[in-house]
PDB file of all heavy atoms in Angstrom:
ATOM      1  N   LEU A   4       0.259   7.254   0.688  1.00 92.00           N
ATOM      2  CA  LEU A   4      -0.967   8.037   0.520  1.00 92.00           C
ATOM      3  C   LEU A   4      -2.206   7.211   0.856  1.00 92.00           C
ATOM      4  O   LEU A   4      -3.086   7.650   1.600  1.00 92.00           O
ATOM      5  CB  LEU A   4      -1.046   8.504  -0.944  1.00 92.00           C
ATOM      6  CG  LEU A   4      -1.190   9.994  -1.190  1.00 92.00           C
ATOM      7  CD1 LEU A   4      -0.145  10.768  -0.424  1.00 92.00           C
ATOM      8  CD2 LEU A   4      -1.120  10.291  -2.668  1.00 92.00           C
ATOM      9  N   LYS A   6      -2.354   4.577   2.573  1.00 96.00           N
ATOM     10  CA  LYS A   6      -2.344   4.246   3.995  1.00 96.00           C
ATOM     11  C   LYS A   6      -2.994   5.368   4.813  1.00 96.00           C
ATOM     12  O   LYS A   6      -3.742   5.122   5.758  1.00 96.00           O
ATOM     13  CB  LYS A   6      -0.891   4.022   4.446  1.00 96.00           C
ATOM     14  CG  LYS A   6      -0.732   3.559   5.879  1.00 96.00           C
ATOM     15  CD  LYS A   6      -1.335   2.174   6.092  1.00 96.00           C
ATOM     16  CE  LYS A   6      -1.456   1.849   7.574  1.00 96.00           C
ATOM     17  NZ  LYS A   6      -2.404   0.730   7.801  1.00 96.00           N
ATOM     18  N   LYS A   9      -6.668   4.999   4.482  1.00 98.00           N
ATOM     19  CA  LYS A   9      -7.132   3.898   5.348  1.00 98.00           C
ATOM     20  C   LYS A   9      -7.227   4.351   6.803  1.00 98.00           C
ATOM     21  O   LYS A   9      -8.184   4.027   7.511  1.00 98.00           O
ATOM     22  CB  LYS A   9      -6.167   2.710   5.212  1.00 98.00           C
ATOM     23  CG  LYS A   9      -6.461   1.512   6.114  1.00 98.00           C
ATOM     24  CD  LYS A   9      -7.575   0.627   5.585  1.00 98.00           C
ATOM     25  CE  LYS A   9      -7.524  -0.801   6.107  1.00 98.00           C
ATOM     26  NZ  LYS A   9      -7.866  -0.940   7.518  1.00 98.00           N
ATOM     27  N   ILE A  12     -10.311   6.419   7.354  1.00 98.00           N
ATOM     28  CA  ILE A  12     -11.499   5.549   7.391  1.00 98.00           C
ATOM     29  C   ILE A  12     -11.586   4.814   8.728  1.00 98.00           C
ATOM     30  O   ILE A  12     -12.629   4.810   9.390  1.00 98.00           O
ATOM     31  CB  ILE A  12     -11.469   4.539   6.221  1.00 98.00           C
ATOM     32  CG1 ILE A  12     -11.635   5.278   4.890  1.00 98.00           C
ATOM     33  CG2 ILE A  12     -12.555   3.475   6.397  1.00 98.00           C
ATOM     34  CD1 ILE A  12     -11.511   4.404   3.660  1.00 98.00           C
ATOM     35  N   GLN A  24      -9.289  -2.703  -0.020  1.00 96.00           N
ATOM     36  CA  GLN A  24      -8.747  -2.909  -1.369  1.00 96.00           C
ATOM     37  C   GLN A  24      -9.762  -2.513  -2.442  1.00 96.00           C
ATOM     38  O   GLN A  24      -9.391  -2.018  -3.511  1.00 96.00           O
ATOM     39  CB  GLN A  24      -8.336  -4.375  -1.533  1.00 96.00           C
ATOM     40  CG  GLN A  24      -6.977  -4.661  -0.870  1.00 96.00           C
ATOM     41  CD  GLN A  24      -6.715  -6.140  -0.701  1.00 96.00           C
ATOM     42  OE1 GLN A  24      -7.375  -6.974  -1.303  1.00 96.00           O
ATOM     43  NE2 GLN A  24      -5.737  -6.483   0.140  1.00 96.00           N
ATOM     44  N   GLU A  27      -9.449   1.192  -2.539  1.00 96.00           N
ATOM     45  CA  GLU A  27      -8.102   1.617  -2.946  1.00 96.00           C
ATOM     46  C   GLU A  27      -7.987   1.820  -4.454  1.00 96.00           C
ATOM     47  O   GLU A  27      -7.342   2.757  -4.922  1.00 96.00           O
ATOM     48  CB  GLU A  27      -7.089   0.561  -2.475  1.00 96.00           C
ATOM     49  CG  GLU A  27      -5.672   1.084  -2.385  1.00 96.00           C
ATOM     50  CD  GLU A  27      -4.747   0.071  -1.721  1.00 96.00           C
ATOM     51  OE1 GLU A  27      -5.187  -1.069  -1.472  1.00 96.00           O
ATOM     52  OE2 GLU A  27      -3.594   0.432  -1.457  1.00 96.00           O
ATOM     53  N   PHE A  35      -4.702  21.593  -3.853  1.00 94.00           N
ATOM     54  CA  PHE A  35      -5.215  22.929  -4.157  1.00 94.00           C
ATOM     55  C   PHE A  35      -4.431  23.956  -3.363  1.00 94.00           C
ATOM     56  O   PHE A  35      -3.974  23.693  -2.252  1.00 94.00           O
ATOM     57  CB  PHE A  35      -6.706  23.012  -3.827  1.00 94.00           C
ATOM     58  CG  PHE A  35      -7.546  22.081  -4.645  1.00 94.00           C
ATOM     59  CD1 PHE A  35      -7.967  20.866  -4.116  1.00 94.00           C
ATOM     60  CD2 PHE A  35      -7.877  22.401  -5.950  1.00 94.00           C
ATOM     61  CE1 PHE A  35      -8.729  19.990  -4.888  1.00 94.00           C
ATOM     62  CE2 PHE A  35      -8.634  21.527  -6.722  1.00 94.00           C
ATOM     63  CZ  PHE A  35      -9.060  20.326  -6.193  1.00 94.00           C
ATOM     64  N   LYS A  37      -3.955  27.441  -1.271  1.00 92.00           N
ATOM     65  CA  LYS A  37      -4.689  28.276  -0.325  1.00 92.00           C
ATOM     66  C   LYS A  37      -5.562  29.308  -1.050  1.00 92.00           C
ATOM     67  O   LYS A  37      -5.082  29.982  -1.964  1.00 92.00           O
ATOM     68  CB  LYS A  37      -3.666  28.999   0.562  1.00 92.00           C
ATOM     69  CG  LYS A  37      -4.236  30.020   1.514  1.00 92.00           C
ATOM     70  CD  LYS A  37      -3.114  30.591   2.370  1.00 92.00           C
ATOM     71  CE  LYS A  37      -3.594  31.751   3.225  1.00 92.00           C
ATOM     72  NZ  LYS A  37      -2.553  32.189   4.174  1.00 92.00           N
ATOM     73  N   LYS A  44     -20.539  25.875  -6.141  1.00 95.00           N
ATOM     74  CA  LYS A  44     -21.974  25.649  -6.056  1.00 95.00           C
ATOM     75  C   LYS A  44     -22.579  25.693  -7.457  1.00 95.00           C
ATOM     76  O   LYS A  44     -22.131  26.468  -8.304  1.00 95.00           O
ATOM     77  CB  LYS A  44     -22.614  26.721  -5.176  1.00 95.00           C
ATOM     78  CG  LYS A  44     -24.052  26.427  -4.865  1.00 95.00           C
ATOM     79  CD  LYS A  44     -24.730  27.526  -4.088  1.00 95.00           C
ATOM     80  CE  LYS A  44     -26.214  27.241  -4.058  1.00 95.00           C
ATOM     81  NZ  LYS A  44     -27.012  28.376  -3.593  1.00 95.00           N
ATOM     82  N   LYS A  46     -22.247  23.727  -9.750  1.00 97.00           N
ATOM     83  CA  LYS A  46     -21.416  23.071 -10.756  1.00 97.00           C
ATOM     84  C   LYS A  46     -21.397  21.575 -10.481  1.00 97.00           C
ATOM     85  O   LYS A  46     -21.663  21.123  -9.370  1.00 97.00           O
ATOM     86  CB  LYS A  46     -19.979  23.627 -10.715  1.00 97.00           C
ATOM     87  CG  LYS A  46     -19.858  25.068 -11.198  1.00 97.00           C
ATOM     88  CD  LYS A  46     -19.754  25.169 -12.711  1.00 97.00           C
ATOM     89  CE  LYS A  46     -19.893  26.616 -13.202  1.00 97.00           C
ATOM     90  NZ  LYS A  46     -18.737  27.450 -12.805  1.00 97.00           N
ATOM     91  N   PRO A  66     -27.549  36.717   0.600  1.00 80.00           N
ATOM     92  CA  PRO A  66     -28.042  37.760  -0.316  1.00 80.00           C
ATOM     93  C   PRO A  66     -27.167  39.021  -0.340  1.00 80.00           C
ATOM     94  O   PRO A  66     -27.119  39.723  -1.350  1.00 80.00           O
ATOM     95  CB  PRO A  66     -29.439  38.065   0.238  1.00 80.00           C
ATOM     96  CG  PRO A  66     -29.868  36.793   0.888  1.00 80.00           C
ATOM     97  CD  PRO A  66     -28.618  36.214   1.472  1.00 80.00           C
ATOM     98  N   LEU A  73     -20.194  27.180   6.635  1.00 95.00           N
ATOM     99  CA  LEU A  73     -21.035  26.133   7.200  1.00 95.00           C
ATOM    100  C   LEU A  73     -20.223  25.221   8.099  1.00 95.00           C
ATOM    101  O   LEU A  73     -20.606  24.945   9.225  1.00 95.00           O
ATOM    102  CB  LEU A  73     -21.680  25.321   6.079  1.00 95.00           C
ATOM    103  CG  LEU A  73     -22.593  26.097   5.131  1.00 95.00           C
ATOM    104  CD1 LEU A  73     -23.081  25.194   4.014  1.00 95.00           C
ATOM    105  CD2 LEU A  73     -23.779  26.676   5.900  1.00 95.00           C
ATOM    106  N   SER A  86     -23.493  12.504  -1.052  1.00 89.00           N
ATOM    107  CA  SER A  86     -24.947  12.358  -1.130  1.00 89.00           C
ATOM    108  C   SER A  86     -25.685  13.539  -0.515  1.00 89.00           C
ATOM    109  O   SER A  86     -26.811  13.826  -0.891  1.00 89.00           O
ATOM    110  CB  SER A  86     -25.404  11.066  -0.447  1.00 89.00           C
ATOM    111  OG  SER A  86     -25.134  11.133   0.937  1.00 89.00           O
ATOM    112  N   ASN A  95     -24.473  21.723  -4.023  1.00 92.00           N
ATOM    113  CA  ASN A  95     -25.284  22.773  -3.422  1.00 92.00           C
ATOM    114  C   ASN A  95     -24.484  23.640  -2.441  1.00 92.00           C
ATOM    115  O   ASN A  95     -25.044  24.432  -1.704  1.00 92.00           O
ATOM    116  CB  ASN A  95     -26.533  22.175  -2.758  1.00 92.00           C
ATOM    117  CG  ASN A  95     -26.190  21.063  -1.774  1.00 92.00           C
ATOM    118  OD1 ASN A  95     -25.170  21.127  -1.112  1.00 92.00           O
ATOM    119  ND2 ASN A  95     -27.037  20.065  -1.686  1.00 92.00           N
ATOM    120  N   GLU A 105      -4.121  19.040   0.509  1.00 95.00           N
ATOM    121  CA  GLU A 105      -3.935  17.761  -0.180  1.00 95.00           C
ATOM    122  C   GLU A 105      -5.154  16.883   0.065  1.00 95.00           C
ATOM    123  O   GLU A 105      -5.491  16.603   1.216  1.00 95.00           O
ATOM    124  CB  GLU A 105      -2.691  17.032   0.341  1.00 95.00           C
ATOM    125  CG  GLU A 105      -1.379  17.723   0.033  1.00 95.00           C
ATOM    126  CD  GLU A 105      -0.200  16.916   0.551  1.00 95.00           C
ATOM    127  OE1 GLU A 105      -0.272  16.404   1.688  1.00 95.00           O
ATOM    128  OE2 GLU A 105       0.791  16.796  -0.195  1.00 95.00           O
ATOM    129  N   LEU A 106      -5.786  16.457  -1.005  1.00 96.00           N
ATOM    130  CA  LEU A 106      -6.982  15.628  -0.898  1.00 96.00           C
ATOM    131  C   LEU A 106      -6.787  14.305  -1.627  1.00 96.00           C
ATOM    132  O   LEU A 106      -6.055  14.238  -2.608  1.00 96.00           O
ATOM    133  CB  LEU A 106      -8.179  16.340  -1.539  1.00 96.00           C
ATOM    134  CG  LEU A 106      -8.585  17.707  -1.008  1.00 96.00           C
ATOM    135  CD1 LEU A 106      -9.765  18.243  -1.816  1.00 96.00           C
ATOM    136  CD2 LEU A 106      -8.939  17.629   0.464  1.00 96.00           C
ATOM    137  N   ILE A 122     -20.977  -4.609   3.302  1.00 93.00           N
ATOM    138  CA  ILE A 122     -21.613  -4.091   4.515  1.00 93.00           C
ATOM    139  C   ILE A 122     -20.666  -3.219   5.343  1.00 93.00           C
ATOM    140  O   ILE A 122     -21.094  -2.218   5.937  1.00 93.00           O
ATOM    141  CB  ILE A 122     -22.203  -5.216   5.382  1.00 93.00           C
ATOM    142  CG1 ILE A 122     -22.895  -4.632   6.624  1.00 93.00           C
ATOM    143  CG2 ILE A 122     -21.125  -6.198   5.828  1.00 93.00           C
ATOM    144  CD1 ILE A 122     -24.126  -5.347   7.011  1.00 93.00           C
ATOM    145  N   ASN A 126     -21.503   0.447   6.353  1.00 92.00           N
ATOM    146  CA  ASN A 126     -21.502   0.925   7.733  1.00 92.00           C
ATOM    147  C   ASN A 126     -20.605   2.145   7.895  1.00 92.00           C
ATOM    148  O   ASN A 126     -20.944   3.094   8.603  1.00 92.00           O
ATOM    149  CB  ASN A 126     -21.044  -0.188   8.672  1.00 92.00           C
ATOM    150  CG  ASN A 126     -22.119  -1.226   8.881  1.00 92.00           C
ATOM    151  OD1 ASN A 126     -23.302  -0.958   8.656  1.00 92.00           O
ATOM    152  ND2 ASN A 126     -21.724  -2.419   9.289  1.00 92.00           N
ATOM    153  N   ALA A 128     -19.956   4.332   5.584  1.00 94.00           N
ATOM    154  CA  ALA A 128     -20.633   5.482   4.962  1.00 94.00           C
ATOM    155  C   ALA A 128     -21.765   6.001   5.838  1.00 94.00           C
ATOM    156  O   ALA A 128     -21.950   7.217   5.975  1.00 94.00           O
ATOM    157  CB  ALA A 128     -21.168   5.082   3.585  1.00 94.00           C
ATOM    158  N   SER A 148     -29.348  28.318  20.937  1.00 89.00           N
ATOM    159  CA  SER A 148     -29.528  28.416  22.380  1.00 89.00           C
ATOM    160  C   SER A 148     -28.296  28.851  23.166  1.00 89.00           C
ATOM    161  O   SER A 148     -28.347  28.934  24.390  1.00 89.00           O
ATOM    162  CB  SER A 148     -30.054  27.094  22.942  1.00 89.00           C
ATOM    163  OG  SER A 148     -29.029  26.151  23.090  1.00 89.00           O
ATOM    164  N   ILE A 168      -4.747  30.181  12.327  1.00 93.00           N
ATOM    165  CA  ILE A 168      -4.259  29.915  10.963  1.00 93.00           C
ATOM    166  C   ILE A 168      -5.235  30.285   9.852  1.00 93.00           C
ATOM    167  O   ILE A 168      -4.886  30.210   8.692  1.00 93.00           O
ATOM    168  CB  ILE A 168      -3.845  28.427  10.791  1.00 93.00           C
ATOM    169  CG1 ILE A 168      -5.024  27.499  11.033  1.00 93.00           C
ATOM    170  CG2 ILE A 168      -2.677  28.092  11.707  1.00 93.00           C
ATOM    171  CD1 ILE A 168      -4.678  26.038  10.784  1.00 93.00           C
ATOM    172  N   SER A 176     -18.349  34.169  10.641  1.00 95.00           N
ATOM    173  CA  SER A 176     -19.579  33.795   9.945  1.00 95.00           C
ATOM    174  C   SER A 176     -20.014  32.391  10.349  1.00 95.00           C
ATOM    175  O   SER A 176     -21.207  32.086  10.368  1.00 95.00           O
ATOM    176  CB  SER A 176     -19.423  33.916   8.436  1.00 95.00           C
ATOM    177  OG  SER A 176     -18.824  32.774   7.876  1.00 95.00           O
ATOM    178  N   THR A 181     -20.465  39.059  13.607  1.00 96.00           N
ATOM    179  CA  THR A 181     -19.555  39.833  12.769  1.00 96.00           C
ATOM    180  C   THR A 181     -18.127  39.621  13.263  1.00 96.00           C
ATOM    181  O   THR A 181     -17.906  39.206  14.397  1.00 96.00           O
ATOM    182  CB  THR A 181     -19.871  41.332  12.859  1.00 96.00           C
ATOM    183  OG1 THR A 181     -19.716  41.742  14.217  1.00 96.00           O
ATOM    184  CG2 THR A 181     -21.294  41.613  12.415  1.00 96.00           C
ATOM    185  N   SER A 186     -13.855  39.839  17.530  1.00 96.00           N
ATOM    186  CA  SER A 186     -12.686  40.496  18.110  1.00 96.00           C
ATOM    187  C   SER A 186     -12.960  40.899  19.565  1.00 96.00           C
ATOM    188  O   SER A 186     -12.116  40.709  20.451  1.00 96.00           O
ATOM    189  CB  SER A 186     -12.329  41.724  17.276  1.00 96.00           C
ATOM    190  OG  SER A 186     -11.201  42.370  17.806  1.00 96.00           O
TER     191      SER A 186
END
Side-chain angles (χ1 to χ4, degrees):
Chain A
L4 235 51
K6 185 65 193 162
K9 176 80 157 71
I12 293 175
Q24 281 165 15
E27 200 172 8
F35 297 99
K37 174 177 173 173
K44 189 185 170 193
K46 291 276 169 68
L73 299 176
S86 65
N95 53 35
E105 294 182 317
L106 302 178
I122 182 143
N126 285 339
S148 79
I168 61 176
S176 84
T181 60
S186 180

